[in-house]
């Protein structure tokens, strides 16, 4: 029978099949751990006298509550928040006690968990990957079944390398056509979420297909899969192809020699079979897409950058009208107003959505020789120490600094605003991150989600612009 | 986990759709290393508004939250159900829940009760008109008794069994040790994070 990519990966990882009474038990190939969602799971292990079953399939890093402020003269990144320091120290202790490798703060391969997994070649096609973080969907770009889990499940995987899972449904998100200049992978995913809504993918694993997806680089594919969760989906998937194999080859932790050839041969069997069926299909045309931007307080509230903010009075459904009214009130925006020209206080370039080297290159190209607008603060936060080194080798840091932007250490930073990098109440930001929820980037802060191109163009102008006009 | 079967509680309504886990508990409260005290931070930014439902005297002691569509979207933080339980909630009623939140809630004995849109609208209206309504939950029979009517709700057989009997899911997986060993014997690890 014809199978989808999802079904092939699922079937290859069933330890015990589901029956009428119980969900399936699924084997997990790679478990990524960070400081925020793991402490209570390690406490549970200690209380029950358990060990970590497969430390060799577990990898920890610190990213969420870590400072991104520049290193001191001693080369050390200073942690001044005592509560954060306690949490970071707890992760160090937990990894030491349970034998888990840790990419400690400031070490050469530390960074955002969803940036370093692929970068180091841990993330490979056909794998099951989990992490106590909803943006684990990022790794689906490689054709791995990757999804976020809660802390109880972190404990389950630490102890057993397995998870109990109800089988999700599948949806094909098909995007054919060719992206126009100035339109990016970020715009594709914002357009998809605007179409299906933040709950539209609930219960589904999305597989992105079509010629526009095949034409994307791996980093662009990661941007797409990263935000699958913002459409409510359990995971996002893109079938592995030559682009995938070329990107992975010779990464530190990918197979080498004959093992590489065998792995690639297996990976070639993974794409969905001709005739495989999905429970749902959504179709978009890349030729019709424009740069996207959000106006509201969830990632589904997005419009083409040249569009106008919708009006609550145009909505028939009570709860939708109330939600839009509440969002516009929080954002301080008027119904039907354009977003072009909207003044912005902060531009944030970073996060597991858009902090890889290609994102920094794209933004630097626009900022080269230009200045960030007077009074505007721009933060550039590379996704990993490796991305940071690469950017510095290419001189991108000098472009950002010369433009007046802040060049930071690697981490989640203002995407989740746990580390002191945050908006002040009432401030507007254009952010390349993934969530514009109320207070997400700082209490009272107001977020417009957009691509690195739109972010850089906005930084130069001090207000929201259509990047296509300056390309 | 303590078994749950039937309970009575006062319900309050928060009729907003797509309530995300950043609202339930903002990220700045996630720097803790235990589960204590999170109830005090529940909806903390919304509680800055004097009119917010959980600030009202009538809401104190509430055990059921009647929310809008798609409750719990966003981050995977299990701190969200911990905070709801810390405040005293035992169940949330909505038309559907975000996948990760739902899984987290069930593992902690916070019951996600799914009803259809018309039922949710009716319950919300009654609750708003009366400030609170008394709800009686019967998990065994998958029923909610409220305002003179009986509403059935779905729940998967396994989660129901675990909640009714206080079954720990980790213990259930551990009991499959032989199957896990067999799987590992047939499937060499694809990565090695320790060596290499």
């Amino acid at each position: 029978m014809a199978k989808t990519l999802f079904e092939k990966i699922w079937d290859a990882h069933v330890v015990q099949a589901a029956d009428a009474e119980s969900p399936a038990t699924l084997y997990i190939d790679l478990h990524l751990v960070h400081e925020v969602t793991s402490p209570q799971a390690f406490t549970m292990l200690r209380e029950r006298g358990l060990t970590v079953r497969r430390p060799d399939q577990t990898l920890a890093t610190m990213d969420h509550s870590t400072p991104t402020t520049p290193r001191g003269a001693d080369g050390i990144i200073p942690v001044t928040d005592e509560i954060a320091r306690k949490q970071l120290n707890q992760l160090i202790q937990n990894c030491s006690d349970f034998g888990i490798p840790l990419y400690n703060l400031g070490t050469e391969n530390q960074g955002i968990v969803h940036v370093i997994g692929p970068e180091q070649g841990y993330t490979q096609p056909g794998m099951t990957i989990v992490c106590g973080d909803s943006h684990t969907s990022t790794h689906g770009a490689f054709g791995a079944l990757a999804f976020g889990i809660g802390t109880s499940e972190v404990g389950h995987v630490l102890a057993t390398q397995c998870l109990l899972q109800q089988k999700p449904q599948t949806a094909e998100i098909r995007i054919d056509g060719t992206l126009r200049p100035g339109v990016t992978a970020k715009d594709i995913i914002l357009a998809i979420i605007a179409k299906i809504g933040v709950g539209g993918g609930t219960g589904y694993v999305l597989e992105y297909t079509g010629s526009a997806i095949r034409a994307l680089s791996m980093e662009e594919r990661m941007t797409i899969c990263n935000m699958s969760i913002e459409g409510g989906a359990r995971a996002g998937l893109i079938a592995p192809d030559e682009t995938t194999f070329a990107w992975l080859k010779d990464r530190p932790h990918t197979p080498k020699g004959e093992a590489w050839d065998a792995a690639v041969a297996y990976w070639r069997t993974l794409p969905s079979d001709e005739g495989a069926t999905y429970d749902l299909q959504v179709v978009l045309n890349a030729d019709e897409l424009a740069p996207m931007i959000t106006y509201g307080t969830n990632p589904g509230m997005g419009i083409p950058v040249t569009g106008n903010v919708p009006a609550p009075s145009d909505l028939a459904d009570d709860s939708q009208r109330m939600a839009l009214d509440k969002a516009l009130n929080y954002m301080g925006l008027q119904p039907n107003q354009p977003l072009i020209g909207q003044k912005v206080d902060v531009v944030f370039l970073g996060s597991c959505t858009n902090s890889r080297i290609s994102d920094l290159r794209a933004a630097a190209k626009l900022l080269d020789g230009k200045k960030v607008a007077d009074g505007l603060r721009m933060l550039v936060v590379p996704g990993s120490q490796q991305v940071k080194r690469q950017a510095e080798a290419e001189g991108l840091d000098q472009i950002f600094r010369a433009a007046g932007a802040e060049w930071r250490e690697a981490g989640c930073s203002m995407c989740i605003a746990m580390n002191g990098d945050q908006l002040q109440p009432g401030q507007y930001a254009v952010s390349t991150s993934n969530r514009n929820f109320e207070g997400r980037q700082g209490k009272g802060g107001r977020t417009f989600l957009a691509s690195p191109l739109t972010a850089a163009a906005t930084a130069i102008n001090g207000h929201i612009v259509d990047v296509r006009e300056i390309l | 986990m303590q078994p749950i079967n039937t309970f009575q509680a006062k319900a309050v309504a928060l009729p907003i759709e797509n309530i995300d886990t950043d609202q339930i508990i903002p990220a700045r409260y996630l720097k803790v290393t235990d589960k204590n005290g999170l109830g005090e931070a529940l909806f903390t930014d919304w509680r800055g508004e004097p009119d917010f439902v959980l600030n009202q005297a009538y809401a104190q002691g509430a055990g059921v939250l009647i929310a809008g569509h798609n409750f719990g979207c966003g981050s995977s933080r299990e701190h969200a159900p911990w905070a709801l339980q810390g405040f005293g909630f035992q169940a949330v009623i909505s038309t559907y829940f975000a996948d990760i939140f739902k899984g987290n809630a069930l593992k902690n004995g916070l019951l996600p009760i799914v009803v259809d849109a018309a039922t949710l609208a009716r319950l919300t209206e009654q609750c708003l008109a009366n400030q609170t309504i008394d709800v009686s939950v019967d998990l065994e029979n998958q029923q909610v008794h409220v305002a003179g009517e009986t509403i059935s709700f779905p729940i998967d057989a396994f989660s129901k069994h675990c909640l009714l009997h206080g079954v720990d899911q980790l213990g259930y997986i551990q009991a499959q040790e032989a199957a896990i060993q067999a799987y590992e014997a047939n499937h060499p690890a694809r990565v090695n994070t320790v060596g290499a």
Side-chain angles (χ1 to χ4, degrees):
Chain A
M1 202 186 94
K3 283 185 181 183
T4 62
L5 167 60
F6 163 75
E7 287 161 338
K8 292 180 191 184
I9 303 173
W10 176 277
D11 291 350
H13 289 84
V14 172
V15 170
Q16 183 167 301
D19 59 29
E21 277 82 43
S22 314
T25 303
L26 213 59
Y27 195 80
I28 302 302
D29 291 317
L30 176 63
H31 184 193
L32 302 168
V33 171
H34 66 82
E35 74 274 20
V36 172
T37 56
S38 65
Q40 298 86 350
F42 284 107
T43 299
M44 182 279 294
L45 292 184
R46 288 194 179 90
E47 285 170 356
R48 299 190 188 195
L50 298 172
T51 57
V52 172
R53 182 186 185 87
R54 297 302 297 259
D56 59 330
Q57 292 176 232
T58 310
L59 179 73
T61 188
M62 34 181 80
D63 52 8
H64 283 66
S65 61
T66 52
T68 60
T69 38
R71 293 168 192 253
D74 54 2
I76 290 174
I77 300 169
V79 182
T80 55
D81 177 338
E82 285 307 316
I83 308 174
R85 184 205 301 279
K86 182 169 173 250
Q87 191 175 58
L88 297 173
N89 285 341
Q90 187 65 55
L91 181 66
I92 294 169
Q93 184 72 48
N94 290 337
C95 289
S96 167
D97 288 356
F98 291 93
I100 296 170
L102 168 67
Y103 288 10
N104 206 343
L105 180 62
T107 54
E108 64 175 350
N109 293 321
Q110 174 252 340
I112 303 176
V113 64
H114 309 308
V115 175
I116 67 170
E119 186 176 86
Q120 296 301 316
Y122 291 115
T123 298
Q124 295 167 28
M127 288 172 61
T128 48
I129 301 174
V130 298
C131 174
D133 189 285
S134 60
H135 293 110
T136 308
S137 58
T138 311
H139 308 262
F142 293 82
L145 178 60
F147 52 92
I149 57 177
T151 298
S152 293
E153 291 184 318
V154 169
H156 296 178
V157 181
L158 288 173
T160 69
Q161 206 59 29
C162 290
L163 273 181
L164 298 174
Q165 286 290 299
Q166 307 282 355
K167 194 172 185 176
Q169 294 188 286
T170 56
E172 180 186 22
I173 313 287
R174 185 171 192 87
I175 306 119
D176 284 317
T178 307
L179 288 176
R180 299 293 163 92
V183 185
T184 70
K186 182 66 164 286
D187 303 303
I188 294 180
I189 189 63
L190 286 173
I192 291 168
I193 300 164
K195 187 179 173 89
I196 69 174
V198 286
T202 306
Y204 288 92
V205 167
L206 311 181
E207 183 181 344
Y208 304 97
T209 68
S211 58
I213 296 295
R214 295 265 71 89
L216 296 176
S217 71
M218 285 318 297
E219 302 201 347
E220 292 170 317
R221 294 179 188 185
M222 283 189 255
T223 299
I224 303 251
C225 288
N226 171 272
M227 289 189 71
S228 302
I229 181 68
E230 310 311 335
R234 198 79 186 85
L237 283 170
I238 293 175
D241 59 10
E242 298 307 321
T243 303
T244 319
F245 311 146
W247 197 91
L248 282 174
K249 193 163 177 24
D250 298 327
R251 299 261 160 193
H253 294 270
T254 49
K256 304 290 182 296
E258 286 179 17
W260 169 260
D261 295 337
V264 172
Y266 171 60
W267 297 342
R268 288 188 198 284
T269 69
L270 290 170
S272 294
D273 297 328
E274 192 76 30
T277 56
Y278 302 83
D279 299 300
L280 179 75
Q281 193 189 43
V282 176
V283 177
L284 275 82
N285 183 347
D287 295 277
E288 294 170 0
L289 296 180
M292 294 289 291
I293 194 158
T294 63
Y295 57 84
T297 53
N298 73 48
M301 294 177 167
I303 49 173
V305 70
T306 49
N308 291 344
V309 172
S313 58
D314 291 344
L315 296 175
D317 179 82
D318 276 353
S319 69
Q320 285 181 1
R321 188 171 57 246
M322 282 168 59
L324 179 55
D325 198 53
K326 187 175 189 306
L328 297 189
N329 189 42
Y330 180 84
M331 293 294 291
L333 297 174
Q334 299 303 316
N336 300 314
Q337 78 163 83
L339 286 180
I340 297 281
Q342 169 68 42
K343 187 177 172 298
V344 168
D345 305 293
V346 176
V347 167
F348 173 62
L349 177 60
S351 88
C352 56
T353 314
N354 282 123
S355 65
R356 287 168 284 267
I357 190 69
S358 56
D359 300 311
L360 303 190
R361 284 176 188 149
K365 196 172 169 192
L366 289 184
L367 282 161
D368 195 3
K370 304 255 178 29
K371 290 279 183 194
V372 166
D374 279 349
L376 183 141
R377 179 186 187 201
M378 182 175 188
L379 240 70
V380 184
V381 185
S384 69
Q385 293 292 337
Q386 183 171 310
V387 169
K388 180 168 182 276
R389 279 193 304 277
Q390 177 70 28
E392 288 171 350
E394 296 177 18
L396 305 186
D397 62 320
Q398 294 306 321
I399 293 173
F400 291 126
R401 286 180 207 269
E406 299 173 39
W407 177 246
R408 294 298 194 97
E409 294 290 331
C412 300
S413 182
M414 200 184 275
C415 174
I416 190 164
M418 286 184 70
N419 71 338
D421 298 340
Q422 64 190 60
L423 298 177
Q424 298 306 308
Q427 280 191 323
Y428 285 104
V430 165
S431 177
T432 66
S433 57
N434 41 57
R435 289 189 173 135
N436 52 349
F437 297 146
E438 287 182 29
R440 171 76 180 189
Q441 297 194 283
K443 188 177 176 181
R446 302 187 279 204
T447 302
F448 301 109
L449 299 176
S451 72
L453 288 181
T454 296
T458 298
I460 296 164
N461 288 277
H463 55 259
I464 295 172
V465 295
D466 182 348
V467 67
R468 292 172 297 188
E469 294 187 354
I470 64 165
L471 286 178
Chain B
M1 192 169 70
Q2 292 297 313
I4 53 170
N5 186 1
T6 59
F7 58 90
Q8 283 82 40
K10 179 167 74 175
V12 293
L14 182 56
I16 298 169
E17 64 176 19
N18 304 321
I19 292 176
D20 59 80
T21 53
D22 275 85
Q23 306 317 309
I24 297 171
I25 183 154
R28 61 184 184 275
Y29 293 96
L30 308 188
K31 287 184 264 188
V32 295
T33 51
D34 57 25
K35 305 176 185 180
N36 301 325
L38 295 173
E40 289 160 35
L42 178 69
F43 290 115
T44 186
D45 288 350
W46 287 358
R47 281 160 93 174
E49 296 292 324
D51 292 343
F52 183 62
V53 60
L54 296 190
N55 290 334
Q56 311 312 310
Y58 63 75
Q60 307 317 306
V64 174
L65 184 67
I66 302 173
H69 312 305
N70 189 29
F71 187 81
C73 60
S75 139
S76 65
R77 62 192 69 167
E78 199 158 322
H79 309 68
W82 296 337
L84 286 158
Q85 290 182 306
F87 184 87
F89 287 115
Q90 297 167 271
V92 182
I93 301 177
S94 180
T95 48
Y96 65 102
F97 294 84
D99 292 326
I100 306 177
F101 175 85
K102 188 176 180 180
N104 287 341
L106 286 165
K107 285 179 190 63
N108 287 277
L110 176 71
L111 192 60
I113 298 177
V114 174
V115 299
D116 62 45
T119 302
L120 183 69
R122 198 165 64 245
L123 293 180
T124 301
E125 193 178 327
Q126 286 169 352
C127 194
L128 291 175
N130 299 285
Q131 296 186 332
T132 67
I133 46 176
D134 292 323
V135 173
S136 173
V137 176
D138 177 351
L139 176 59
E140 173 83 57
N141 294 302
Q142 298 180 216
Q143 289 176 337
V144 178
H145 305 285
V146 53
E149 64 175 317
T150 295
I151 300 156
S152 293
F153 64 89
I155 183 169
D156 73 272
F158 182 73
S159 296
K160 178 178 171 179
H161 172 79
C162 291
L163 292 170
L164 282 174
H165 303 285
V167 172
D168 173 66
Q169 295 197 11
L170 175 55
Y172 179 87
I173 306 174
Q174 287 175 306
Q176 298 176 29
E177 178 60 25
I180 300 171
Q181 284 187 18
Y183 183 91
E184 287 181 328
N186 290 320
H187 299 80
R190 294 164 191 267
V191 288
N192 183 350
T193 58
V194 172

